[in-house]
Amino acid sequence: MQPLTVTPARERASTKSGTTTEAHFWEFPTVPGARHYTITVCNKAGGIQQRYHVLQSDIDATAVTSIPILTADEPFPPAIPVREELTGTVRASFYRRESGIRYLLVWGRGFDPAPYYENNPIHVVVAY
């Protein structure tokens, strides 16, 4: 098992009506030879809020896409299937981009995303 570097990512897209949609993600790379990934989302104090298990085979079966989130101009991007490891956890949205796997943290526009990143730290471990 190996921990991965997780970085903030942002996507901006224009809608048909001329407004802008902005989505903020945590992003981690795909790893050659990986079997699965364990994603743990914590609260600011370090307590575990969510834990997900993603198989490399499910990542491979999900198309790499550049479709933006919520512009109404495109179909919604295909999500990678994930398995929740904690009961009562809301299903997270994971997308396969050219640069890696993106976990949708928050979307909207005109707000500061820094508190979302600060209050929702994430850890990803890959198993071979």
Side-chain angles (χ1 to χ4, degrees):
M1 302 202 62
Q2 169 189 352
L4 296 180
T5 301
V6 182
T7 57
R10 179 179 76 169
E11 294 178 2
R12 298 182 83 182
S14 298
T15 66
K16 285 189 238 183
S17 63
T19 61
T20 300
T21 297
E22 192 167 293
H24 297 270
F25 303 84
W26 284 118
E27 182 176 85
F28 59 92
T30 55
V31 178
R35 282 194 350 237
H36 62 84
Y37 303 81
T38 301
I39 299 100
T40 305
V41 182
C42 299
N43 60 29
K44 189 175 182 176
I48 296 173
Q49 292 182 307
Q50 303 165 345
R51 181 172 286 141
Y52 301 99
H53 187 78
V54 181
L55 298 175
Q56 183 65 49
S57 59
D58 288 335
I59 293 170
D60 293 341
T62 304
V64 173
T65 180
S66 60
I67 296 172
I69 304 293
L70 300 175
T71 64
D73 295 337
E74 302 279 350
F76 209 75
I80 299 167
V82 299
R83 288 147 188 85
E84 297 89 1
E85 293 189 351
L86 301 177
T87 58
T89 300
V90 176
R91 181 168 289 257
S93 298
F94 291 86
Y95 302 100
R96 188 172 178 202
R97 300 299 200 210
E98 194 67 42
S99 56
I101 305 305
R102 290 192 176 176
Y103 161 73
L104 178 62
L105 183 59
V106 65
W107 64 269
R109 63 185 177 95
F111 64 91
D112 179 7
Y116 292 93
Y117 290 119
E118 182 181 326
N119 293 322
N120 299 279
I122 185 171
H123 307 280
V124 179
V125 176
V126 62
Y128 297 93

